[in-house]
Amino acid sequence: MSATGMTAQQVRSDIIAQNLANVNTTRDANGHVYRRKTVVFEEKSFPTFRESLSYATGHIGKGVKVTEIVEDPSDGNLVYDPSHPDANEDGYVMYPNVNTVTEMTNMIDATRAYEANVTVLNSTKGMALKALELGGA
């Protein structure tokens, strides 16, 4: 479960970094303003009977997976800058709907979640090694 959580948080961090990198992107390859992206998580499902049985008896968890990356539909920020090449006829430029403070807060959250999964993984590994030591004695 920890490995799936780490993978999901890594994808989330990558998307947040992409949002931050495009905070001032007023035009993409198609001529549109960049739209903030978010990650949608879902509980991972196991298709095999053995995995389903293990989950039902409480031995393993299902974990998490990224199901999709969606664009935030909220409006961007209009800024008056008549000298900008993407300014409209009134002199306003539409900037992406990316808020740097929100993205940095989300990045801290993703980092902490990743670290928590690493801690759980290391603890589980330590317990398994200790069990092997006890079993060999």
Side-chain angles (χ1 to χ4, degrees):
M1 282 194 321
S2 295
T4 64
M6 290 167 55
T7 301
Q9 293 303 330
Q10 180 62 49
V11 171
R12 182 177 175 212
S13 295
D14 291 345
I15 294 301
I16 293 168
Q18 181 181 347
N19 288 339
L20 288 168
N22 286 291
V23 71
N24 292 316
T25 303
T26 57
R27 186 177 358 146
D28 63 10
N30 298 323
H32 299 101
V33 175
Y34 178 82
R35 287 247 181 237
R36 177 178 180 264
K37 294 175 179 53
T38 57
V39 179
V40 177
F41 296 131
E42 184 178 283
E43 186 176 26
K44 194 171 187 177
S45 60
F46 291 110
T48 67
F49 176 76
R50 180 178 177 191
E51 290 168 331
S52 298
L53 183 61
S54 294
Y55 176 72
T57 58
H59 294 129
I60 63 171
K62 289 185 174 185
V64 67
K65 66 179 178 179
V66 174
T67 55
E68 63 182 319
I69 297 168
V70 296
E71 288 187 353
D72 182 348
S74 63
D75 292 333
N77 304 314
L78 270 179
V79 176
Y80 184 72
D81 185 1
S83 64
H84 194 284
D86 292 328
N88 64 17
E89 59 276 351
D90 297 325
Y92 287 93
V93 180
M94 178 66 76
Y95 280 93
N97 57 349
V98 177
N99 182 315
T100 305
V101 175
T102 301
E103 297 302 322
M104 291 305 296
T105 304
N106 289 340
M107 182 65 85
I108 291 168
D109 183 57
T111 302
R112 298 270 166 84
Y114 186 91
E115 290 170 352
N117 280 300
V118 169
T119 301
V120 170
L121 187 65
N122 287 336
S123 296
T124 303
K125 185 172 73 172
M127 287 187 283
L129 290 173
K130 198 62 166 173
L132 287 174
E133 288 176 16
L134 293 173

